[in-house]
Amino acid sequence: MKIQTIISALFTGIFGSTLALSAVVVPTENQICTRDLNPWRQASNCSCPLDTHYDQRIGYCVEGSAPRISALGEIRTDVVAIGGETTGVLLKGLDRKQFELVLSNQLLEEIQGLEKKDQLFEVRGEYIELPGIEISRRPAIIVNSIDAL
């Protein structure tokens, strides 16, 4: 447990190679899900394979736990992508790394209209790589809080 805490602490603010540290999204073609939408715009519950759990914030079954992360940068809410492979919100970090942001409805409403050129935000949450077809691993932060600086 102490090693996991140390690794998470080291990871915070460092955006190097992190594949071994993040939760892994599990492919589930025959996943059975409820038809409702939760505050994260996902199904509230889905069946998952053994040794995985459903993360209703991202709408996928995952194995492992996502490390905590904190990042500074500009936020854009006008992001579009071919095939819809985006959460629609992007953090452009000070170190030029980019992360998609997974936001609850409440956080999305709070930041819409706040983003301005050169406005910095501190985003805190959990790091995960979302699956995609065009980009197989999309770096993302499941956001717990956002503060304008």
Side-chain angles (χ1 to χ4, degrees):
M1 187 68 167
K2 286 184 178 182
I3 293 194
Q4 180 70 15
T5 305
I6 292 169
I7 290 172
S8 290
L10 289 173
F11 179 77
T12 301
I14 301 172
F15 309 119
S17 178
T18 58
L19 295 178
L21 297 178
S22 65
V24 178
V25 174
V26 178
T28 53
E29 287 115 21
N30 298 321
Q31 189 172 340
I32 299 170
C33 302
T34 57
R35 291 185 173 214
D36 64 330
L37 290 179
N38 65 24
W40 295 80
R41 297 167 307 286
Q42 304 294 335
S44 292
N45 198 4
C46 289
S47 62
C48 290
L50 290 176
D51 299 328
T52 67
H53 66 279
Y54 180 69
D55 189 324
Q56 58 180 279
R57 301 169 300 173
I58 60 172
Y60 290 104
C61 296
V62 296
E63 183 177 10
S65 60
R68 296 190 184 278
I69 184 172
S70 177
L72 296 175
E74 295 178 13
I75 291 178
R76 291 188 40 215
T77 60
D78 59 350
V79 179
V80 294
I82 296 172
E85 278 188 4
T86 180
T87 61
V89 183
L90 185 73
L91 176 77
K92 293 178 117 183
L94 296 178
D95 57 359
R96 297 186 182 185
K97 296 209 185 241
Q98 296 185 18
F99 299 90
E100 290 186 47
L101 299 182
V102 179
L103 299 161
S104 66
N105 286 334
Q106 179 182 354
L107 284 173
L108 183 59
E109 287 176 17
E110 287 176 18
I111 67 161
Q112 285 181 332
L114 289 180
E115 79 274 10
K116 299 174 187 156
K117 184 110 172 123
D118 300 325
Q119 170 70 52
L120 289 180
F121 291 88
E122 180 179 14
V123 175
R124 288 178 299 284
E126 299 167 43
Y127 176 80
I128 195 157
E129 291 179 343
L130 298 174
I133 295 171
E134 292 294 321
I135 301 171
S136 61
R137 294 182 180 160
R138 300 172 5 235
I141 300 173
I142 303 171
V143 179
N144 295 328
S145 65
I146 297 177
D147 293 312
L149 302 178

